[in-house]
Amino acid sequence: MATLTVKNVRIIDPVSRRYETATLIVPVEGADKTVDGEGLMAFPAFVDVHVHLRDPGFTEKESLETGAAAALHGGYGHILAMANTKPVMTGDIIADFYARAKSLPLYAYTVSALTKDLKGEVLVDMEEAARLGAVGFSDDGFPVDNMDLLKEGLLRAKALDLPVSLHEEDPAYVKNPGVDSRFAPAFGLKGADAMAEYSLSARDLSLAHYLGAKLDIQHISCALTARLVAAFAESGANVLGEITPHHLTMTGEDVKTYGTLAKMNPPLRTAEDASDLAKFIGHENFCIATDHAPHTTEEKNRPLKDAPSGITGLETAFVLLYTELVLKDKCTLEDLIAAMTKIPADFYKLPHKGVAGGEFVLFDPEGETAVDEAFFRGKSHNSPLIGKTFKGKIKGICVKGKYHAFE
């Protein structure tokens, strides 16, 4: 086994609680390599607990291999796939996922669907899913309306010590998905009310807290929802709140500029929401999750009402948030790193080794990242960030005993 030596690098590692400038020496495949770390930073490899890999069933958008390449390029060493594949991620499909994931250059995990075919009618065999390696349960993309069913699912997940992660949009308050109702009239649409998120989040936080179950509130778009999560956490609820890079840095006004590239579920909200959400970066119950949602160019070229929601996020998440949050004093670098590493890994019990264990990102804070079509490693490029340049550059990542350098 060869060694990778990174000299005089600034280490910021909430996983192993190591904060110092030192020389890193870790075992790697291949030949010995030495990197001058002067002026560079080493963080734990990032963790994303909400990624759509589209495999099986939609590999024209993404595959395990291209999704892993995109994640690696963005500094991610651990990614958690959602279940809305075709067939849906249950049973043998989970087993096949892990068999293929072994050859990926990073660690990939999957949730199981919570209900059969994501229809919200019958629970899957949750115990079998856990035995096969599912690290949680989710019908992401679809809220769970049946309270008795959700209660049973939460109790069975609790017995397995696994979380349930929920997409919180009450259909009663959604006329046109993907665009906030306060901005939708400009496009001849009625849109989706913020109340769609508030109402289900409050209901499900209450139920999970009452039952003592682990709950992940996905892709929070409203500051009020974040305050609800924080309040329940303070009361002892075992809860995680996901906040996406796009909900932190964009608003409903951006739909006018970017059209379908700014169409999301849940929608982009107000500037006040985006600003207030940033205040929760640093809270131990909130993480960054990209909700990486690749779509083909043909799909995103449809009219706003008909185009699918979502954007890619794995490759741009850190440099975007470093530029827009850290450098603008909206959160600290240490808090951002914790929200992208230790907090999600601990909640989902993912075996993250941190910098000390040889899983780290090398970052140049004085570099620049230009986002153009050639920048992407994933199949789909449905991002409103194309053409933009961000401060800082990921120089490489070490994960699974191999160092990957990026030009």
Side-chain angles (χ1 to χ4, degrees), residues 40-58:
L40 302 182
M41 299 175 178
F43 315 139
F46 302 139
V47 177
D48 193 343
V49 294
H50 193 138
V51 174
H52 296 274
L53 293 179
R54 309 299 193 200
D55 189 350
F58 306 100

Side-chain angles (χ1 to χ4, degrees), residues 30 83 228 270 273 284 357 383:
L228 286 169
T270 66
D273 280 311
E284 64 183 357
S383 170

Side-chain angles (χ1 to χ4, degrees), residues 102-258:
K102 289 179 181 178
S103 63
L104 298 177
L106 46 61
Y107 296 98
Y109 317 88
T110 187
V111 298
S112 166
L114 180 63
T115 68
K116 292 183 179 180
D117 296 321
L118 309 176
K119 292 182 178 180
E121 297 172 352
V122 180
L123 294 173
V124 302
D125 186 337
M126 297 174 69
E127 293 71 24
E128 179 195 40
R131 179 180 61 80
L132 292 171
V135 298
F137 302 92
S138 180
D139 279 1
D140 176 48
F142 303 95
V144 180
D145 293 329
N146 187 320
M147 283 291 287
D148 289 335
L149 188 77
L150 180 58
K151 181 179 179 180
E152 182 186 348
L154 286 167
L155 285 171
R156 286 170 64 180
K158 177 185 177 182
L160 295 165
D161 192 26
L162 294 177
V164 171
S165 56
L166 295 176
H167 180 117
E168 303 290 42
E169 281 194 293
D170 186 338
Y173 298 98
V174 178
K175 304 304 180 186
N176 303 111
V179 184
D180 185 282
S181 58
R182 288 162 288 191
F183 304 95
F187 309 100
L189 303 174
K190 293 183 177 180
D193 293 347
M195 185 63 185
E197 183 175 288
Y198 306 153
S199 59
L200 284 194
S201 296
R203 183 200 73 175
D204 296 340
L205 284 163
S206 300
L207 181 61
H209 187 26
Y210 174 72
L211 298 174
K214 294 178 72 172
L215 180 66
D216 175 356
I217 300 294
Q218 298 177 323
H219 40 50
I220 294 170
S221 65
C222 304
L224 177 57
T225 309
R227 289 193 285 271
L228 286 169
V229 169
F232 274 90
E234 187 175 352
S235 297
N238 195 349
V239 61
L240 179 71
E242 301 174 4
I243 308 178
T244 73
H246 45 275
H247 287 116
L248 285 161
T249 60
M250 299 179 70
T251 75
E253 293 288 350
D254 287 308
V255 182
K256 296 177 182 178
T257 302
Y258 300 109

